[in-house]
Amino acid sequence: MLTAIDSTDFKKNIDGKEVGFFVIKNKHGIEASFTNYGQRLISLYVPDRNGNMKDIVLGFSNLEDYINSKEPYFGATIGRYANRIAKGRFQIDGEDFKLAINNGQNHLHGGSKGFHNVVWTAHKISANEIEFTRTSPDMEEGYPGNLEIKVNYVLTDDNELKIKYFANSNKKTFVNLTHHSFFNLKGEGEGDINDHVLMINANHYLPIDVGLLPIGNIVKVANTPFDFTKPKSIKKAIEVDNQQLEFGNGYDHNFVLNKAPTNNDGLVLAAKVKEPESGRVMEVYTDEPGLQFYGGNFLDGEIVGKSSKAYVYRGAFCLETQHFPDSPNQKGFPSALLSPGEIYTSTCVYKFSIY
């Protein structure tokens, strides 16, 4: 086992449910560890061009640090609705629903006790596969319907971490699940990610207001700092005078993914990141219409992670596959409504290689 984390540091009873620590790996030695508290990816070891394995996701070595962290989303599964919903309100069939307000005037990432702050049921299926299940009760954080969720993780022998989400509800409700790992391909705690070279397969993005909510327009990335259709370093345009970058304190925007190219499973290549020093490469594939790119703008060096290193400003990036923010209130965005009898499905794949 690559991780030095002591599994007993994750043993605790929360709300009558046992928290634990779980490890999966593939035949090439790539290893991922999880806790069922918040369904978090705690560590992910992948090789560099010399075969050296390093953990590339930010996080902590014990449960208490996750519970008490001022950054609540490290490695977590986010729901019921990833990203922001304006003023924590939406309507379904003319009925008003009010959600928890936990981000200024808005609702963020499922609320103050979203899926990142609850204990899931874990089932390790095999050496390289684990599954988490939970029922989110009717009106939890203000969302209607009993929502039954299953999330499956497989570390394939093609060096992919494949995440598949499934959900169903007994009432109409909005669902938008995502994975919120903070990545640094040099290794967690190894400085900033500004030199990472990023490609995002999107000709359009969603401009935001000062509250980081999309204003409803879908805008071309051409001739803006948001054009990652050709690979470039994250830092290349991040300091230019641009109102959108000012609102986001850098990159914290949703990109409208193109529909091609796709892999053999029909999933769109959403993004590709290269880290020049290590040679690590991460590709992101999905069947979701959007990708949130967040550049670690709220990290400030105060949080110290599992390797006893400070997580500095822009010390990680997130690439979250999802429906668009505030879709319940934006008629021009793809709908995230789930009706009884329907099955919500979503797939995200993080694929690793070297160059």
Side-chain angles (χ1 to χ4, degrees), residues 174-339:
F174 287 106
V175 184
N176 184 30
L177 307 182
T178 197
H179 179 77
H180 210 311
S181 274
F182 288 62
F183 295 97
N184 185 327
L185 298 186
K186 287 183 287 190
E188 58 89 25
E190 297 292 337
D192 65 47
I193 46 82
N194 291 333
D195 288 331
H196 285 53
V197 177
L198 173 64
M199 185 282 295
I200 299 178
N201 182 25
N203 293 336
H204 299 82
Y205 82 105
L206 305 180
I208 57 174
D209 62 18
V210 70
L212 304 178
L213 272 164
I215 58 178
N217 297 345
I218 297 176
V219 175
K220 290 183 178 180
V221 301
N223 302 313
T224 78
F226 299 88
D227 189 351
F228 286 93
T229 53
K230 294 181 180 178
K232 67 180 182 184
S233 65
I234 291 173
K235 69 180 179 184
K236 184 169 183 179
I238 203 167
E239 301 297 346
V240 303
D241 185 13
N242 179 275
Q243 187 183 59
Q244 283 298 304
L245 291 177
E246 183 181 335
F247 285 166
N249 192 27
Y251 293 108
D252 195 0
H253 295 75
N254 206 271
F255 288 74
V256 180
L257 295 174
N258 298 332
K259 298 187 183 302
T262 58
N263 66 6
N264 291 336
D265 294 326
L267 302 174
V268 169
L269 173 62
K272 186 173 184 177
V273 191
K274 293 183 176 182
E275 200 289 295
E277 185 179 315
S278 66
R280 291 187 181 93
V281 179
M282 185 176 86
E283 295 169 296
V284 185
Y285 293 87
T286 189
D287 53 5
E288 287 288 337
L291 180 77
Q292 184 81 9
F293 168 41
Y294 167 60
N297 309 316
F298 294 108
L299 297 173
D300 58 9
E302 290 188 12
I303 296 174
V304 176
K306 54 202 158 178
S307 60
S308 300
K309 295 177 181 177
Y311 291 156
V312 300
Y313 181 52
R314 294 178 180 155
F317 65 89
C318 304
L319 292 171
E320 308 156 55
T321 61
Q322 58 187 251
H323 267 58
F324 301 165
D326 201 32
S327 289
N329 298 308
Q330 300 280 357
K331 293 183 179 180
F333 290 176
S335 175
L337 187 68
L338 178 68
S339 296

Side-chain angles (χ1 to χ4, degrees), residues 82-139:
N83 222 306
R84 292 168 176 84
I85 294 178
K87 299 182 179 178
R89 294 177 180 273
F90 58 69
Q91 283 191 345
I92 298 177
D93 294 338
E95 183 178 354
D96 291 313
F97 292 91
K98 186 177 181 181
L99 311 175
I101 303 297
N102 64 324
N103 185 248
Q105 298 181 345
N106 304 312
H107 175 84
L108 174 66
H109 287 340
S112 55
K113 196 170 183 181
F115 290 179
H116 61 290
N117 274 343
V118 295
V119 181
W120 295 69
T121 299
H123 175 50
K124 188 173 177 182
I125 296 172
S126 67
N128 71 322
E129 183 175 0
I130 190 167
E131 196 163 85
F132 296 89
T133 57
R134 179 175 184 264
T135 298
S136 173
D138 184 32
M139 300 311 295

